[in-house]
Amino acid sequence: MLLTLRHSTTYSYEGVAAQIVQILRLTPRSHEAHRVLDWRVSRSDGGALPSYTDGLGNICHLSSVRGPADAVTITAEGRVETDDVQGVVSGAAEPLPPGYFLRTTPLSAADDVIADFARETIGARKDRTALYELMTAVHARISYVPGQSDVDTSASEAFAAGRGVCQDQAHIFIAAARALGIPARYAGGYVWPGEEASSSQDFASHAWAEAFTDDAGWVGFDPSNGVWTTTAHLRTAHGLDYRQAAPISGVWRGAGEEDMSVDGTIQAVESSQ
Amino acid sequence: MLSRTAMNHYWLARYVERTDYVARLLDSAARMTALASTGVAAGNEWESLLVAAGCKEAFDAVYDKVTSERVIEFMTLDPNNPSSIASAMDQARANARVERAVLNTDTWAAVNDTWLARDVVENARSGPDGLREIVDWVKSRANAFRGAWEGTMLRRDSYQFIRLGLAIERADNTARLLDVKYHVLMPKHDPIGGGLDHAHWDSILRAATALRAYQHIYREAVKPRQVIDLLALNPEMPRSIRAAYDEIAGGLSALSTFYGGRTGEAQRLAGSTHARLKYATVEEIFDFGLHEFLEDMVARTDRIGAAIQGQYMS
Amino acid sequence: MNGHDGAVRAPYEAVKSWLDRTPNEILDLKTAAAEGLFRRLGVTFAVYDDATAGAERLIPFDIIPRVLDMAEWEQLSAGLDQRVRALNAFLHDVYHEREFIRAGKISEEKILMNPAFLAEMQGLDVARGLYTHICGVDIVRTGASDFYVLEDNCRTPSGVSYMLENRETMIRLFPELFSALDIAPVDNYPIALFETLQEAAPARAGPNPTIVVLTPGRYNSAYYEHAFLADEMGVELVEGPDLVVENGYVFMRTTEGRKRVDVIYRRIDDDYLDPLAFRHDSALGVAGIMAVYRLGNVTLVNAPGAGIADDKSIYPYTPEMVRFFLGEEPILSNVETWDCSDPAQCSHVLANIEDMVVKNVHGSGGYGMLVGPTSTKEECAAFAKIVETYPERYIAQPTLALSTSPTYVDQGVAPRHVDLRPFVLSGETTRIIPGGLTRVALREGSLVVNSSQGGGTKDTWVLRGVKADAS
């Protein structure tokens, strides 16, 4: 499938920002599931965005704005051809061994409840089918309810609440997998929502998870949609948790408040091959 | 030079100068009080002191009534009053310590030795001639700092930022000192009792270490217009607003030269205020309104301080 | 000072004869004079546990120097050079191909799960492949030529300013000793450090890179040292807010506008370096600095993530690093260490816990530590239980018979236990200043040299000989 995407994030400042520094993890890399045809990240003031690869293999841009600034917009746009590989993430840049993704972080740590849930669901199995069952269980257990959690909500908080957004569902899946000794990580990017919903109002970044299965290696699981990753998924970054893989993380200095708004479109065309 | 370094030099100097000023205010208030016991009413001398030091509101927040003991405590030792001698010494030393790498040994030692011996203030307070001792010591330590700075520091930007800190603080202090007593300095003022007014003028001159200077320059009994001339406009008088502005303008001009001729808002504002002081006369000031003139000086000095920070320290 | 046979060791003869002819009253006066000098110079360290935050204290200074002769020093410095080369090679490997793991020398888990391992460093080609440019190696001695490495400090080792000020003080107090004896100088350390930092600059910085020292600020316990080193090198001492990331570079804010910075000798811990990469609540660091580092536009000294080489759980593997990366036999020994994560080693520790020092691998200072010989049976038994439950968190070492050095204490001149921290600078070449910081446990019998627990310092002399014209 050919995905054509434009994604703009605007930060506006009630007072003025004297300084803004941001890390942008908005650039997909080609691997077996993705062929990146063209891609561009730009900033509304035309400022330079030097690019580098981080330790995890993500392509990042460093954005810095010297104020005074009252607003700045970051836009990512391009075309990527996706193939149906049943979630398998292969041929991607993997500078770190799977073992690194057994580390826990405050956002993705499993408490006893999550560990029990994981054990009861798949026991000691570590294959792709087992993890698919774990994903399905998270999907069934945690209802998708926006607005009840935020970027600092941990897996255990979201699990106790029984609801959350895609970020929370991903964190819970990761925590559960790691509790069983299965490497797991957070993946961020976009998903094409289907023909009916592809208006700009519904546009949002998406998040899911990847687990290292003992029969197929890294496989993408989307607990919020109850599927493994498909040709509709466009992957831009991965990390131990949201914090390491967030599309944009930044700090700013100045007076007043920062406000963020998102705008964009994503279109899909079946590839003719 | 780092912007922060410039800021630390500047504030180091302001705090040292402030200890000196507060000590002089205390000295003059104590003298007025002593005179009161010989028949001249002291009025609200201690309250004036608080106003002149810009500490009235902070004082009222802690105490319900002004007494000499309380004001002395508040202005010498109170750690919660940023303008107390002890606080200002702490702040001066803290600013200097951060710049230990930039300040030369003598200038650092002058500040640090003051701070190490700061118990003098507390110990002397209970003594029979406590305040006198404190005032003399604080003045001598400020002199030691200025001596070390003037005598040993390279005439580079760091020197100029200290110069600016001293001069800005001094211009502000003298304008406030005169403003507190502006009512007894007005020409139309109807003397209630010559003795009291004389004591007021006398106390202003003492606070500025200007009593002797007055005699040398005017060779006559103290008169309000001469006090204004001496402390606002006379370039020979080191504590006059004019002399402070000679330093401010001089320091900013030296900085501009040091930084390859670049000038900005600070130079422009300082130039215009300096010119105003250079060409003003006492008559003109009285026509404009003495209080208004002094308020304007405080406001202009404040703006120049902000411009210096904006230009070099952000 | 005395050898095992009780005789005065050769290097100490000069010191011995000096002590013999100097009455205690003079030593008292000199001790007081030294304290006055330190106080006046502001050589203090901040303590956090005092009632008033930011209070300042002096580290006690002992006026009797600790002496090494040239032969001893040459052996030691060859060992230090070798060890630090191996540590740097290990660090490069850890953040690249991980051959050390592949070869089965260490488990993958020990590296990847260690909090000191930073994924942010993976695959980054740092200038000259160096990670720990300034390394402080803590050495203890148990016999004439038995030097043991107690610990490596690959992150931000401190104490070098005391080494320099101690020497300065000794020269002022005892000029006659320095004119009679040929003592290797240490005062070229700042120049050596400056050259090391210059050599660490990114290639594109050009021949005159801008170097700064980055400090957490004046409330840091080692602030004096940060200021001292910046001053001695003639570079700016900056705090996080003085630096700003713009257009892919790091700049400092100056009275003349922005100035690009090429090398940052940072004395801020990894965690606080960059709120966008590590602790996001850090106000001490510089947002985006790790991105600039990865862009190759600035060098951070020491490299973030260098702590994986000095972690207590990695320490037992250092001799193997020397063999693996350098193909050499280690010159300096490690203290024998049992790794409790290994079941066989753990049962040995549990059986002999009363004779051992047991340390929590990720703890520092005295927390989570057992000194068997000075603990009660109950304490040992309780600690053994914890070790049994979390074996992977503990290592154990035998208690060593540490050497002593004559020290001037209240009772007069008496032996006290000492250690030594030499500083190894790695750049285009390795530079090791002869000597180092000697720390001394001032309490009789104590083995704890830490300044926060009653330790003091001494000047350290590498004695090249007696000057010919002195009598």
Side-chain angles (χ1 to χ4, degrees), chain C residues 301-414:
Chain C
V301 173
N302 290 342
I308 188 67
D310 69 19
D311 192 84
K312 286 192 182 72
S313 68
I314 303 299
Y315 167 86
Y317 301 88
T318 43
E320 197 51 38
M321 290 175 198
V322 173
R323 295 184 196 102
F324 186 82
F325 293 107
L326 309 180
E328 299 169 15
E329 267 310 300
I331 300 169
L332 298 176
S333 318
N334 260 19
V335 179
E336 193 178 4
T337 303
W338 288 276
D339 179 352
C340 300
S341 69
D342 179 290
Q345 298 186 42
C346 189
S347 48
H348 175 84
V349 171
L350 292 173
N352 299 285
I353 197 157
E354 287 164 24
D355 302 322
M356 294 210 172
V357 179
V358 189
K359 298 174 179 172
N360 186 322
V361 288
H362 300 311
S364 65
Y367 181 77
M369 180 170 167
L370 175 85
V371 182
T374 62
S375 303
T376 63
K377 275 201 175 330
E378 291 72 31
E379 285 166 340
C380 289
F383 209 88
K385 273 227 163 63
I386 303 174
V387 175
E388 266 185 292
T389 319
Y390 304 104
E392 71 286 354
R393 294 188 192 169
Y394 292 92
I395 57 164
Q397 294 171 334
T399 43
L400 299 178
L402 290 196
S403 68
T404 61
S405 175
T407 302
Y408 190 60
V409 292
D410 291 343
Q411 302 80 8
V413 179

Side-chain angles (χ1 to χ4, degrees), chain A:
Chain A
M1 191 145 65
L2 178 68
L3 298 176
T4 304
L5 181 136
R6 190 184 59 79
H7 167 212
S8 290
T9 311
T10 299
Y11 295 87
S12 43
Y13 301 88
E14 192 189 89
V16 285
Q19 194 85 45
I20 312 165
V21 180
Q22 293 167 322
I23 306 295
L24 319 177
R25 299 177 193 87
L26 295 168
T27 308
R29 292 187 78 153
S30 292
H31 61 286
E32 275 190 17
H34 290 355
R35 195 156 50 258
V36 180
L37 301 180
D38 51 72
W39 197 266
R40 205 168 78 93
V41 179
S42 60
R43 200 172 69 202
S44 49
D45 63 355
L49 297 174
S51 165
Y52 63 95
T53 305
D54 71 13
L56 298 157
N58 300 312
I59 296 175
C60 305
H61 292 81
L62 170 62
S63 169
S64 56
V65 177
R66 182 172 178 177
D70 50 16
V72 62
T73 300
I74 305 286
T75 301
E77 56 199 319
R79 293 179 307 143
V80 177
E81 210 160 61
T82 58
D83 283 336
D84 185 8
V85 290
Q86 333 243 289
V88 174
V89 183
S90 148
E94 298 286 359
L96 289 165
Y100 173 74
F101 298 94
L102 284 168
R103 278 196 183 203
T104 59
T105 68
L107 288 180
S108 63
D111 55 16
D112 291 346
V113 190
I114 294 179
D116 287 345
F117 161 79
R119 217 170 296 115
E120 283 158 20
T121 309
I122 58 170
R125 292 154 58 216
K126 297 184 173 178
D127 59 309
R128 190 177 173 202
T129 315
L131 283 146
Y132 188 88
E133 285 166 29
L134 182 63
M135 179 271 292
T136 312
V138 172
H139 177 69
R141 177 79 173 254
I142 310 298
S143 43
Y144 184 88
V145 181
Q148 303 289 310
S149 54
D150 60 30
V151 291
D152 293 322
T153 304
S154 70
S156 53
E157 287 164 355
F159 194 78
R163 58 171 189 253
V165 294
C166 55
Q167 173 188 316
D168 303 307
Q169 293 164 318
H171 280 153
I172 290 167
F173 175 87
I174 293 163
R178 285 186 199 150
L180 300 176
I182 302 165
R185 63 194 183 190
Y186 188 95
Y190 307 98
V191 69
W192 176 58
E195 297 294 348
E196 307 80 32
S198 63
S199 71
S200 67
Q201 274 75 24
D202 295 318
F203 185 89
S205 297
H206 189 53
W208 56 92
E210 290 170 357
F212 193 79
T213 64
D214 61 9
D215 53 346
W218 286 111
V219 177
F221 295 98
D222 182 351
S224 126
N225 289 312
V227 296
W228 51 46
T229 49
T230 66
T231 52
H233 288 79
L234 176 53
R235 178 184 189 272
T236 53
H238 69 267
L240 288 173
D241 62 8
Y242 166 78
R243 204 162 272 299
Q244 247 189 6
I248 300 179
S249 41
V251 297
W252 65 285
R253 213 162 50 78
E257 296 281 315
E258 184 186 64
D259 203 37
M260 189 193 87
S261 62
V262 176
D263 171 64
T265 55
I266 181 164
Q267 283 144 9
V269 179
E270 283 304 329
S271 316
S272 47
Q273 289 287 320

